[in-house]
């Protein structure tokens, strides 16, 4: 599943192709991809068609194109979504759900095998210090957002009695942290994710958040080199940053810090990976 670094990679890869480009034609090939749009495919196509893209932006795993009328087209990649730059007129693939033909000679295909992703054209609103499209209105700022106050966020986390990992995964507290990066930042900060947040010091929670920023940036650096100029992609299953993981998916392998085998536990109906010695 694409997490924040992959989505940011896609945004960075996409931006040079779409910035300043007019959406000459917009076609939805599968209604499920616009299931959030009240007026369906016709409304989505009519909204975006003829508009010029004046920016790209992101919060958490929500990515959007800013249009010249101040509205936006949001793309959520879901479990398996990809955005591909194609030559205009390229036949849609089997999993192509929407096609944007650009006035600059490129086309953007939204491909999504499992169709958990979606596109949605909406107005934009102010939310937590930023203009965001309606779909991202209730999503908290993410760890890579400029100006994020890590200490204030640590104080906010500490008001919760929930397990630290559960708080990290709560998109209303901080957005864009999925299971993989939650485990990685907990390992880096030596925190057991099962600990209630109100039993962890603000200082330690702030360290946890800073480690999260570092882990996300490292993954972004690793992923940012993995697509060529005509191919913007997110591969749902194979992570190109796998090699840099210290905890996630490493059950039975020695902890890079102390050599104790990493253990896998069930948490929130998913697997958690941690070092039972370092993370107490
Ligand atoms: Zn360890």
């Amino acid at each position: 599943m694409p997490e924040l670094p992959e989505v940011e990679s896609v945004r960075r890869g996409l931006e040079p192709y779409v910035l300043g480009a007019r959406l000459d034609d917009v076609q939805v090939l599968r209604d499920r991809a616009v299931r959030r749009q009240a007026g369906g495919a016709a409304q989505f196509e009519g909204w975006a068609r003829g508009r010029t893209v004046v920016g790209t932006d992101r919060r958490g795993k929500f990515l959007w194109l800013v249009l010249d009328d101040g509205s936006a087209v949001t793309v959520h990649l879901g479990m398996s979504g990809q955005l591909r730059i194609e030559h205009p007129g390229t036949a849609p693939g089997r999993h192509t759900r929407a096609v944007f033909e650009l006035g600059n000679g490129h086309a953007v295909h939204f491909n999504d095998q499992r169709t958990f992703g979606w596109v949605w054209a909406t107005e934009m609103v102010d939310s937590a210090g930023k203009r965001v499209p309606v779909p991202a209105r209730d999503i908290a700022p993410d760890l890579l957002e400029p100006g994020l106050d890590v200490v204030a966020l640590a104080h906010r986390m500490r008001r919760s009695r929930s397990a630290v990992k559960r708080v990290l995964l709560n998109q209303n507290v901080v957005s864009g942290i999925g299971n993989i990066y939650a485990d990685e930042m907990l390992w880096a900060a030596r925190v057991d994710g099962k600990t209630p947040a109100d039993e962890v010091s603000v200082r330690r929670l702030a360290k946890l958040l800073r480690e999260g920023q570092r882990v996300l940036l490292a993954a972004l650096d690793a992923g940012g080199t993995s697509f060529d100029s005509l191919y913007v992609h997110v591969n749902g299953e194979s992570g190109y940053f796998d090699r840099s993981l210290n905890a996630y998916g490493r059950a039975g392998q020695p902890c890079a810090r102390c050599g104790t085998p990493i253990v896998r536990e069930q948490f929130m109906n998913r697997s958690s990976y941690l070092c039972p010695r370092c993370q107490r």
Side-chain angles (χ1 to χ4, degrees):
M1 173 150 50
E3 297 217 32
L4 187 153
E6 289 87 345
V7 178
E8 175 61 9
S9 269
V10 168
R11 190 198 65 76
R12 291 182 181 185
L14 186 68
E15 187 171 80
Y17 293 97
V18 300
L19 207 54
R22 187 172 178 272
L23 302 175
D24 279 353
D25 195 21
V26 179
Q27 281 185 34
V28 174
L29 305 180
R30 182 135 162 203
D31 285 339
R32 187 165 151 74
V34 288
R35 62 190 176 278
R36 301 208 159 193
Q37 190 91 42
Q43 187 189 35
F44 179 81
E45 292 169 353
W47 188 304
R49 192 179 287 136
R51 289 284 158 211
T52 296
V53 178
V54 297
T56 67
D57 209 343
R58 184 192 55 72
R59 173 169 271 177
K61 295 197 262 184
F62 291 72
L63 160 70
W64 62 89
L65 310 178
V66 182
L67 305 181
D68 57 352
D69 64 349
S71 67
V73 167
T74 304
V75 179
H76 197 288
L77 298 171
M79 302 283 284
S80 58
Q82 301 180 332
L83 289 172
R84 280 186 68 121
I85 307 295
E86 303 278 8
H87 296 293
T90 299
R94 231 178 101 210
H95 303 303
T96 305
R97 308 307 181 203
V99 172
F100 303 84
E101 298 278 355
L102 308 180
N104 63 10
H106 294 293
V108 179
H109 286 196
F110 173 55
N111 299 339
D112 190 4
Q113 185 173 356
R114 299 173 71 179
T115 331
F116 287 113
W118 44 262
V119 292
W120 188 3
T122 68
E123 301 295 342
M124 293 181 74
V125 295
D126 290 318
S127 174
K130 183 168 167 145
R131 284 298 276 179
V132 304
V134 168
R137 174 160 55 190
D138 299 323
I139 300 297
D142 64 62
L143 287 179
L144 297 187
E145 228 161 281
L148 180 80
D149 186 337
V150 165
V151 175
L153 181 53
H155 277 282
R156 181 156 180 223
M157 287 180 68
R158 198 162 189 275
R159 288 199 290 270
S160 174
R161 286 181 199 165
S162 297
V164 172
K165 182 169 177 180
R166 181 180 289 274
V167 177
L168 291 178
L169 295 175
N170 182 345
Q171 305 294 303
N172 301 121
V173 177
V174 54
S175 67
I177 302 174
N179 202 36
I180 296 173
Y181 293 107
D183 281 2
E184 289 301 301
M185 59 198 280
L186 287 162
W187 181 87
R190 305 184 187 213
V191 175
D192 181 343
K194 299 187 295 297
T195 314
D198 62 357
E199 292 178 16
V200 183
S201 69
V202 164
R203 189 174 165 178
R204 193 137 198 99
L205 289 172
K207 176 177 170 55
L208 174 66
L209 295 169
R210 289 195 189 94
E211 291 291 356
Q213 291 175 320
R214 195 185 53 70
V215 166
L216 290 172
L217 285 171
L220 185 55
D221 284 346
T225 57
S226 72
F227 49 85
D228 66 39
S229 60
L230 272 184
Y231 185 59
V232 182
H233 97 290
V234 163
N235 184 327
E237 301 305 322
S238 76
Y240 29 73
F241 44 81
D242 277 357
R243 281 161 296 182
S244 64
L245 297 180
N246 284 305
Y248 186 84
R250 291 179 48 89
Q253 297 181 55
C255 169
R257 233 170 1 223
C258 74
T260 305
I262 298 288
V263 299
R264 179 170 72 176
E265 299 177 343
Q266 287 303 114
F267 182 79
M268 291 173 70
N269 296 319
R270 301 170 82 178
S271 291
S272 282
Y273 297 86
L274 72 158
C275 172
R277 183 168 172 197
C278 294
Q279 295 172 253
R280 286 197 280 208

